[in-house]
Amino acid sequence: MQDTFRHKGLRKQLVEEIRRKGITDVRVLEAMEKIPRHIFMDSSFLEFAYQDKPFPIGSGQTISQPYTVAFQTMLLEASRGLKVLEIGTGSGYQACVLAEMGAKVYSIERQRKLFAKTKLLLESLSWKVQLFLGDGNLGLPKFAPFDRILITAAAPSISTALVDQLKVGGLMVVPFGEGADQTMKRLIKLEDGSLKEEQFGIFRFVPLLGNIGND
Ligand code: SAM
């Protein structure tokens, strides 16, 4: 799929819009200006790719709203060389934003169909992301510890596996809660293994589910 001057122009406008909405991290804005969001969406939604809205990506899932991607990425304080674990690969867009910022990205998706579709797409792109099919609640013990963990689905709880796999001093960003709305939380892991919590307002995500799904 092409990335035309029109796409680039629309992307510039979108980045300007999220900057106006309060995203101040220039590195996040620059990365989002580089990643062609339209190639992560079904062709029937191409004309909506540069609106600040979530959209369906199949299997009952969504590509997150660009503002939300920017907000979570800003909270994560990702930077070159950091090992980042993303739970909820979805379209692969968020993972590529992190890769563009120089992070070493590991991403887990539980839905087999979505995993296969996104894997195929990412193989054709230049951003390097390691994709895994599985239940993100279990993390990736083989590749732990991680400097950052980003959960991109609504988590009713945080598994001890994920806490164990976060480095001391590392950050975890998670939309936390069971209902329709969740509180965006940033957790920092302290020396004694406990988590210090900060809260950043209300967001709305699809739920984090267990086990592998074929739906
Ligand atoms: N980060 C994605 C993107 O850039 O397109 C959007 C993520 S979407 C809002 C949430 C994703 O989390 C869905 O693809 C869903 O299948 C996945 N998911 C839900 N529960 C999961 C789990 N336990 N492990 C891994 N992925 C999960």
Side-chain angles (χ1 to χ4, degrees):
M1 205 181 285
Q2 282 190 322
D3 189 25
T4 63
F5 281 119
R6 182 156 179 274
H7 291 126
K8 289 182 178 131
L10 290 172
R11 201 146 70 235
K12 218 178 184 32
Q13 286 174 22
L14 172 66
V15 166
E16 202 37 56
E17 185 180 340
I18 57 181
R19 185 202 307 274
R20 277 198 307 273
K21 288 179 176 170
I23 303 299
T24 50
D25 189 330
V26 177
R27 293 166 326 116
V28 174
L29 295 169
E30 281 176 358
M32 288 182 66
E33 196 167 329
K34 292 224 178 87
I35 309 287
R37 187 174 186 249
H38 62 281
I39 61 175
F40 298 86
M41 292 169 63
D42 289 338
S43 53
S44 48
F45 291 118
L46 271 188
E47 62 189 287
F48 299 110
Y50 295 107
Q51 295 185 10
D52 189 20
K53 291 182 181 158
F55 276 106
I57 51 171
S59 304
Q61 302 302 320
T62 53
I63 179 171
S64 301
Q65 181 181 348
Y67 174 79
T68 304
V69 171
F71 193 80
Q72 286 202 293
T73 310
M74 186 166 78
L75 289 185
L76 202 65
E77 296 177 1
S79 60
R80 190 157 298 283
L82 291 189
K83 248 168 97 178
V84 179
L85 174 63
E86 180 194 28
I87 314 296
T89 314
S91 68
Y93 174 72
Q94 167 79 76
C96 288
V97 170
L98 291 166
E100 174 62 32
M101 292 173 74
K104 291 182 206 146
V105 187
Y106 300 74
S107 185
I108 312 177
E109 172 56 53
R110 76 174 272 283
Q111 297 221 23
R112 200 178 291 277
K113 266 198 214 154
L114 201 48
F115 168 79
K117 185 172 150 193
T118 299
K119 193 166 167 49
L120 201 63
L121 173 69
L122 292 200
E123 276 164 8
S124 70
L125 303 177
S126 56
W127 295 280
K128 292 287 157 261
V129 174
Q130 299 209 48
L131 297 183
F132 300 84
L133 174 67
D135 177 5
N137 292 298
L138 306 176
L140 290 173
K142 207 172 136 197
F143 298 92
F146 296 95
D147 299 288
R148 303 284 187 265
I149 296 180
L150 173 62
I151 302 184
T152 66
S157 60
I158 293 162
S159 68
T160 39
L162 290 183
V163 177
D164 288 348
Q165 290 173 38
L166 184 64
K167 275 188 191 165
V168 169
L171 300 174
M172 187 184 311
V173 172
V174 50
F176 189 84
E178 265 180 300
D181 295 330
Q182 302 86 42
T183 302
M184 189 66 75
K185 292 190 177 184
R186 179 165 63 183
L187 310 168
I188 177 162
K189 187 165 171 180
L190 305 178
E191 290 273 358
D192 64 3
S194 65
L195 297 169
K196 190 176 141 215
E197 174 185 312
E198 296 168 281
Q199 297 193 1
F200 295 91
I202 301 298
F203 286 78
R204 189 165 278 197
F205 281 78
V206 293
L208 184 72
L209 304 168
N211 304 322
I212 298 179
N214 295 315
D215 37 328

